[in-house]
Amino acid sequence: MRLLSRPELSSHSSCPYLKGRSYQQEYFAGIGAGAEQFDTLLSDRWRRFGLIFFRPVCPDCRQCIPIRVRVDDFQPSASQKRVLRKNRDTRVIFRELTYRDELFRIYEKHSRIKFSQEVNEEEFFRNFFQPAVPSFQSEFYSEGKLIGFGILDEAASGLSSVYFSYDPDFSSLSPGTFSILAEIEETRRRGYPYYYSGYYIADCSKMAYKGRFRPYELLVAGQWTIREESQKSP
């Protein structure tokens, strides 16, 4: 990997996940990491967005816990099976990173309606189509219409989800859940043991949903540890 900037600490800000908490992250810019090196970064709590690698280092909180699905043992739950049935006619394609205007239009609409955010095309291209590690994309089609897409990274031990965006007009298909199920299956098809879905935060509904894809492992004190069935469900 070629470093474009040395690791730095961000200033403290309000936590976007837990009300009343302070947030701080360590970050650096880099490019050209291979699958093995990226694997090491994932196991050291780093995530990637564009050319920026980051990890939370909040001094009084350790609730952002890296999570990965054990692909070979994964079985969809009853509710996830219902999502699969709803999407039995949804076509999924995995392909090399390929920028197109229709991808940005979906991202723009999703950002505006779901998050009340305005986005621009230059940042979109920079964040998703200038990868720092081996990357590719997923595309989802309903009746021949593109309804969503995802960006995935490829590590030596598995696939890592970077982002997923969809047309809110198709929310009834539960595209967020379906995208994870499709990407877990693609991870299995490629022969990898793990699907990395980011950080799990038990007390944040926007992040706790990742614990519904079981069995999974959490990175605690530097060790990946399988979730015990006897523990309280997230």
Side-chain angles (χ1 to χ4, degrees), residues 1-221:
M1 170 189 283
R2 181 165 64 92
L3 291 182
L4 303 178
S5 69
R6 294 186 177 277
E8 298 181 43
L9 290 179
S10 70
S11 58
H12 289 273
S13 60
S14 297
C15 179
Y17 305 116
L18 298 173
K19 187 176 180 179
R21 298 290 184 93
S22 177
Y23 179 81
Q24 187 178 34
Q25 67 178 12
E26 185 178 12
Y27 66 95
F28 68 91
I31 194 168
E36 292 284 353
Q37 187 173 23
F38 184 48
D39 216 57
T40 300
L41 289 166
L42 287 172
S43 290
D44 205 17
R45 301 180 60 247
W46 294 97
R47 297 288 296 169
R48 179 196 76 86
F49 194 74
L51 301 181
I52 303 299
F53 293 81
F54 64 92
R55 60 182 177 184
V57 289
C58 309
D60 300 318
C61 181
R62 291 292 182 271
Q63 290 208 46
C64 291
I65 306 174
I67 184 172
R68 67 185 186 184
V69 178
R70 293 168 61 100
V71 169
D72 290 341
D73 300 322
F74 172 75
Q75 294 293 331
S77 66
S79 63
Q80 290 162 1
K81 287 179 180 177
R82 288 194 290 272
V83 171
L84 289 172
R85 287 195 293 271
K86 283 196 296 185
N87 284 276
R88 58 184 174 273
D89 296 324
T90 301
R91 186 165 63 100
V92 185
I93 296 174
F94 295 91
R95 59 182 298 181
E96 70 282 356
L97 289 179
T98 307
Y99 174 79
R100 304 195 307 279
D101 287 342
E102 61 181 331
L103 298 175
F104 175 68
R105 288 196 295 271
I106 286 178
Y107 176 70
E108 183 181 39
K109 183 176 180 179
H110 182 258
S111 299
R112 185 179 68 255
I113 294 177
K114 300 293 289 186
F115 305 116
S116 300
Q117 294 177 344
E118 296 298 324
V119 296
N120 67 69
E121 199 165 0
E122 181 180 345
E123 287 185 357
F124 174 69
F125 181 84
R126 183 170 62 248
N127 288 335
F128 298 128
F129 296 93
Q130 292 183 324
V133 303
S135 303
F136 62 101
Q137 68 198 51
S138 57
E139 297 180 2
F140 297 77
Y141 293 85
S142 179
E143 298 182 354
K145 176 181 174 61
L146 180 69
I147 65 169
F149 70 94
I151 305 295
L152 298 106
D153 290 338
E154 195 163 8
S157 63
L159 302 184
S160 174
S161 174
V162 177
Y163 198 82
F164 178 73
S165 189
Y166 64 90
D167 185 336
D169 290 348
F170 293 85
S171 294
S172 63
L173 293 176
S174 304
T177 296
F178 180 62
S179 72
I180 295 175
L181 295 170
E183 290 170 1
I184 288 174
E185 183 55 35
E186 179 65 8
T187 307
R188 191 200 317 267
R189 190 189 71 80
R190 294 185 181 217
Y192 291 123
Y194 301 113
Y195 173 79
Y196 296 84
S197 54
Y199 296 113
Y200 167 74
I201 304 175
D203 295 330
C204 175
S205 61
K206 292 189 295 184
M207 305 294 277
Y209 75 90
K210 298 173 183 181
R212 298 174 191 157
F213 300 85
R214 301 172 178 162
Y216 60 85
E217 296 179 358
L218 298 176
L219 184 61
V220 180

